């Protein structure tokens, strides 16, 4: 006999009724409560919180006014509500700050943000929600709209015409433009139209969608669960948006210098002899290297917080020998804890209730590398502290960096992650995994960072993560996951990392050489040439692929890689300075040209070249067997780093790029700070510095300035004021140039007696330099003060004592022709 089972609804075909989405309807009333503005419509409304003159938060509500707790992305101190004047008339409600006007149309609760000239910055047309809890809003798009940000996404720089989902996902399949979700979710969209830019940050840790493709004159932002909680971030420049977004979600913590050196990895270096041999080879071959990674094979059957007793029997000895060579190790730590009643971490986790559970109390188990595993619930402070403390196991061994992987979390099942009904305890405010998912990886890295810091006696920790959410930059650097050794993936790394930088992730980079598939000699060369200018610089490759350590393809390749890795180390003062800038302002270390040249229509989607900071243009070669490439130089004069040729900007040039050259240009009138070549960043050798000034001119109106930040490079003492800042400037005048330097702060004393300036490719030759004698280059090397000319590139080199707080020199110029005559 049949039971009622026969008429189960799913057997009766699909539901025919379409969901009706609701809108708040028209305006009913508004009120203010403790600097929070509540605007009510017929069926719901919006709560507005003004954070300052340039940013406000709006949270949509259906029937009851929502609470205003934020996610862990947002810094509580940046989220304090402020009072601003409101005006009401028959048709509108207007909030006014010193920078913007927010106008709410009463008929439809349409929102418009205008600047003080009445130009529309943003218009939000329709806010709606589904009966099942999804929400969605539509925003105006202009014919000249361009979109940036969104963190780690495939495809080109400008996201116009694209649609993306934010749902942290382990994607081993090739990262193609059609893939909408990768490992990281940064729901920040920067919209630029005309001379106006603004950002919209949707603080929702569940699944969200940004669609700049499907609606013609509008784009949409939606989420499938949780609150529609969005921040408007004003420009008008994109730089303002990035600075403000990072004031809201935090900025990178200045990394230890060793973390911005060259890193070598492989899945996996299989035993301790192999690791030691690798480190020795770097030193024998004089290829600088700071870090070797230990991938999953270092563990005892993939149990985190263990070493394999057979292949890594003496981790302490191995680490001590590596330290002697100046190499640190970074072990991988995944969230999956092996289910094994004899394994202490698992036992503790179960007994102390640290693992994610369902509402009914049963632990969620999923399969990852160690087999069946449980997953810590990092949402809860108690568990985060437990996890952080477990890292004492590593810090006791002298380990200062941890690699968090598989923390989307990745699970080997159909959904690729934890079941959506698993709960996160969240300090007494339980939420489902469906709502929490994108935060999981970040909370793991936060626990890791804080645990390491706790046990490192004032040294700066380093955490690398694969998954993350807005704000992850405060705790970890991000690498872009399992790319492949494809030329296309090398090219894609540029827009990907550039947009990550615009989304607050100033410290990121791809696996250099490519992770999966087999690299080739040329690909490794080209990728390394580019990679040494990325903020995060690690060569990593997968099990079963061709080896890709720098010496894997013979001497010619090895020589080129040595040169370029060495260049990263020589440029360390400059690079470190940019990291300091990122910590202070949120601006990224490498930048798309559109960030520095927002009015140049040629650069809106330019992403096969990029800027290191403001003034160094890097144009990688990203196709095989290619010895030339077109380079776009924006306005100004640009000096070829390799041969000094001066190019007028605002046009394309054809650059010659034989294998040993990657085209690079320095903007005339700017400085690059160079240090000595070290084999590892904290090698205990002199911290000499050369300020290279490019394209100095002996004419009034020429001016260049630069500030270099320095500190010990490894401890937190800079936070107590132990750093130095030296400002250098050059002012041209008729017949010469004044060169000055001043320590505005000198609470850290770098190991050096001299300061050096190199005037590269000036349009004049020096006749004399104030009271300084003309000496030979050798005498400069011996530590004499004076000036000399570098025969190789004609640079004028000046060396002064670094004893005083500052100084100024006048360089008398002779024109280049006179100089020629003099010689003849
Ligand atoms: C994941 C990581 C990769 C790592 C591998 C083994 O695929 O993305 O970098 O090498 O796991 O741990």
């Amino acid at each position: 006999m049949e039971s009622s089972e026969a008429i189960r609804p799913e057997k009766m075909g699909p539901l025919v009724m379409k969901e009706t989405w609701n809108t708040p309807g028209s305006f009913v009333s508004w009120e203010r409560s403790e600097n929070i503005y509540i605007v009510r419509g017929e069926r719901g409304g919006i709560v507005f919180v003004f954070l300052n003159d340039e940013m406000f938060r709006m949270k949509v509500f259906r029937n009851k006014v929502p609470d205003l707790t934020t996610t862990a992305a947002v810094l509580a101190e940046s989220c304090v509500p402020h009072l601003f004047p409101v005006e009401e008339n028959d048709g509108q409600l207007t909030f006014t700050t010193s920078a913007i006007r927010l106008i709410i149309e009463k008929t439809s609760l349409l929102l418009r943000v205008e600047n003080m000239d009445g130009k529309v910055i943003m218009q939000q047309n329709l806010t709606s929600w589904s009966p099942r809890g999804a929400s969605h809003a539509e925003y105006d798009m202009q014919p000249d709209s361009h979109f940036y940000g969104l963190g780690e996404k495939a495809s080109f720089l400008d996201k116009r015409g694209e649609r993306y989902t934010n749902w942290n996902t382990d994607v081993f399949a090739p990262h193609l433009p059609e893939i909408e979700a990768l490992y990281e979710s940064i729901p920040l969209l920067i919209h630029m139209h005309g001379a106006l830019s603004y950002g919209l940050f949707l603080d929702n840790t569940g699944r969200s969608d940004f669609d700049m493709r499907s609606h013609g004159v509008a784009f949409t932002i939606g989420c499938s669960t949780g609150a529609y909680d969005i921040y408007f971030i004003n420009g008008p420049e994109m730089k303002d948006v990035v600075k403000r977004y990072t004031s809201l979600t935090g900025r990178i913590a200045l990394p230890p210098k060793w973390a911005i050196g060259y890193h070598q990895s492989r899945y996996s270096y299989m035993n301790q002899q192999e690791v030691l041999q690798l480190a020795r080879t770097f030193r024998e071959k004089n290829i600088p290297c700071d870090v070797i990674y230990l991938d999953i094979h270092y563990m005892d059957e993939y149990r985190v917080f263990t070493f394999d007793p057979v292949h890594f029997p003496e981790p302490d000895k191995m680490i001590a020998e590596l330290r002697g060579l100046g190499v640190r190790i970074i072990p991988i730590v995944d969230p999956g804890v092996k289910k094994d009643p004899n394994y202490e971490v698992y036992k503790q986790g179960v007994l102390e209730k640290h693992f994610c559970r369902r509402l009914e109390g049963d632990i969620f188990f999923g399969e990852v590398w160690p087999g069946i595993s449980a997953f810590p619930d990092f949402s809860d402070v108690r568990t985060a502290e437990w996890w952080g403390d477990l890292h004492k196991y590593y810090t006791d061994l002298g380990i200062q960096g941890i690699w968090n992987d598989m923390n989307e979390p990745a699970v080997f099942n159909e959904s690729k992650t934890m079941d959506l009904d698993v709960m996160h305890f969240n300090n007494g405010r339980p939420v489902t995994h469906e709502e929490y998912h994108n935060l999981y990886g970040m909370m793991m890295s936060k626990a890791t960072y804080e645990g390491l810091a706790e046990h490192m006696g004032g040294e700066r920790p380093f955490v690398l993560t694969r998954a993350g959410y807005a704000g992850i930059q405060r705790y970890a650097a991000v690498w872009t996951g399992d790319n492949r050794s494809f030329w296309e993936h090398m090219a894609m790394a540029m827009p990907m990392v550039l947009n990550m930088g615009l989304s607050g992730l100033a410290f990121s980079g791809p696996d250099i050489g490519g992770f999966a598939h087999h690299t080739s000699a040329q690909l490794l060369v080209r990728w390394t040439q580019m990679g040494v200018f990325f903020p995060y610089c690690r060569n990593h490759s997968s099990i079963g692929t061709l080896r890709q350590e720098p010496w894997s393809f013979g001497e010619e390749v090895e020589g080129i890689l040595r040169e370029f890795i060495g260049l990263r180390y020589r440029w360390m003062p400059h690079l470190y300075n940019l990291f300091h800038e990122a910590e202070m302002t949120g601006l990224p270390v490498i930048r798309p040209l559109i960030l520095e040249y927002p009015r140049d229509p040629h650069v809106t989607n330019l992403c096969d070249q990029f800027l290191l900071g403001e003034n160094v243009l890097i144009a990688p070669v990203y196709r095989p067997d290619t010895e030339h490439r077109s380079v776009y130089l924006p306005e100004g004069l640009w000096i070829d780093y390799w041969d000094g040729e001066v190019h007028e900007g605002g046009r394309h040039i054809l650059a010659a790029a034989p294998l040993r050259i990657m085209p690079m240009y320095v903007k005339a009138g700017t400085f690059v700070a160079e240090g000595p070549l070290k084999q590892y960043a904290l090698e205990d050798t002199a911290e000499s510095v050369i300020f290279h000034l490019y394209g100095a001119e002996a004419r009034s109106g020429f001016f260049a300035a630069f500030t270099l930040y320095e500190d010990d490079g490894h401890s937190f003492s800079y936070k107590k004021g132990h750093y130095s800042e030296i400002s250098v400037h050059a002012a041209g005048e008729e017949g010469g140039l004044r060169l000055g330097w001043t320590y505005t702060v000198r609470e850290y004393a770098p190991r050096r007696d001299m300061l050096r300036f190199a005037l590269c490719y000036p349009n004049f030759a020096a006749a004399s330099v104030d009271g300084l004698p003309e000496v030979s280059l050798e005498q400069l090397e011996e530590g004499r003060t004076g000036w000399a000319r570098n025969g190789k590139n004609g640079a004028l080199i000046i060396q002064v004592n670094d004893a005083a707080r500052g100084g100024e020199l006048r360089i008398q110029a002779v024109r280049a022709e006179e100089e020629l005559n003099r010689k003849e």
Side-chain angles (χ1 to χ4, degrees), residues 81-332:
H82 283 80
L83 198 69
F84 284 99
V86 194
E87 263 171 62
E88 185 179 1
N89 63 26
D90 285 351
Q92 295 173 334
L93 202 62
T94 305
F95 296 83
T96 308
T97 77
S98 68
I100 52 170
R101 235 175 251 125
L102 164 64
I103 299 157
I104 302 168
E105 296 291 345
K106 286 187 168 175
T107 44
S108 54
L109 292 197
L110 174 151
L111 310 180
R112 194 164 64 245
V113 179
E114 294 180 356
N115 67 12
M116 288 308 168
D117 302 331
K119 291 221 170 75
V120 178
I121 306 172
M122 177 210 82
Q123 182 156 312
Q124 178 177 318
N125 294 321
L126 194 69
T127 314
S128 58
W129 56 81
S130 81
R132 286 178 213 288
S135 321
H136 169 108
E138 197 184 278
Y139 303 84
D140 269 6
M141 183 159 111
Q142 317 300 335
D144 63 348
S145 285
H146 302 282
F147 296 96
Y148 306 97
L150 286 173
E152 183 187 69
K153 298 294 181 201
S155 199
F156 292 97
L157 183 72
D158 183 353
K159 298 308 187 191
R160 188 180 177 124
E162 304 285 357
R163 180 186 183 285
Y164 292 105
T165 297
N166 292 307
W167 183 255
N168 290 357
T169 311
D170 169 16
V171 184
F172 180 70
H175 301 168
L176 299 172
E178 67 186 5
I179 290 182
E180 294 190 353
L182 286 166
Y183 315 84
E184 296 270 324
S185 293
I186 315 293
L188 166 75
L189 183 71
I190 302 176
H191 179 193
M192 182 178 108
H193 56 96
L196 297 173
S197 290
Y198 68 92
L200 290 173
F201 166 50
L202 176 67
D203 190 13
N204 181 302
T205 61
R207 186 185 290 271
S208 60
D209 299 283
F210 286 68
D211 188 349
M212 288 71 65
R213 175 190 298 157
S214 319
H215 308 284
V217 292
F219 68 94
T220 59
I221 300 179
C223 53
S224 44
T225 174
Y228 200 79
D229 188 1
I230 206 156
Y231 293 76
F232 169 87
I233 304 163
N234 195 30
E237 299 298 342
M238 215 193 298
K239 272 192 177 174
D240 300 320
V241 178
V242 176
K243 286 182 189 169
R244 291 183 179 132
Y245 167 73
T246 53
S247 74
L248 183 66
T249 61
R251 294 170 178 151
I252 64 162
L254 184 62
K257 260 191 187 165
W258 59 264
I260 58 176
Y262 173 82
H263 296 193
Q264 183 64 49
S265 183
R266 174 139 177 115
Y267 168 31
S268 298
Y269 294 121
M270 291 297 194
N271 56 58
Q272 102 185 23
Q273 291 73 16
E274 190 181 2
V275 172
L276 286 168
Q277 193 46 47
L278 187 73
R280 288 184 209 119
T281 309
F282 272 101
R283 293 299 172 252
E284 279 156 22
K285 290 182 173 290
N286 280 318
I287 301 175
C289 175
D290 264 283
V291 180
I292 294 175
Y293 283 68
L294 300 183
D295 207 324
I296 53 174
H297 289 95
Y298 82 89
M299 292 178 270
D300 182 10
E301 295 175 324
Y302 313 120
R303 289 175 185 85
V304 285
F305 308 101
T306 67
F307 273 89
D308 181 305
V310 178
H311 299 100
F312 290 85
E314 297 167 312
D316 44 350
K317 279 205 183 140
M318 172 184 78
I319 290 165
E321 184 172 342
L322 290 171
R323 263 305 171 89
L325 293 166
V327 173
R328 285 173 164 79
I329 59 162
I330 293 184
I332 195 168

Side-chain angles (χ1 to χ4, degrees), residues 267 295-296 332 369 403 405-406 466 479 481-482 511 515 538 540:
Y267 168 31
D295 207 324
I296 53 174
I332 195 168
W369 308 121
W403 171 18
D405 186 24
M406 306 289 276
R466 193 170 73 174
W479 103 101
D482 296 345
D511 283 341
F515 174 70
R538 177 180 76 158
H540 180 49

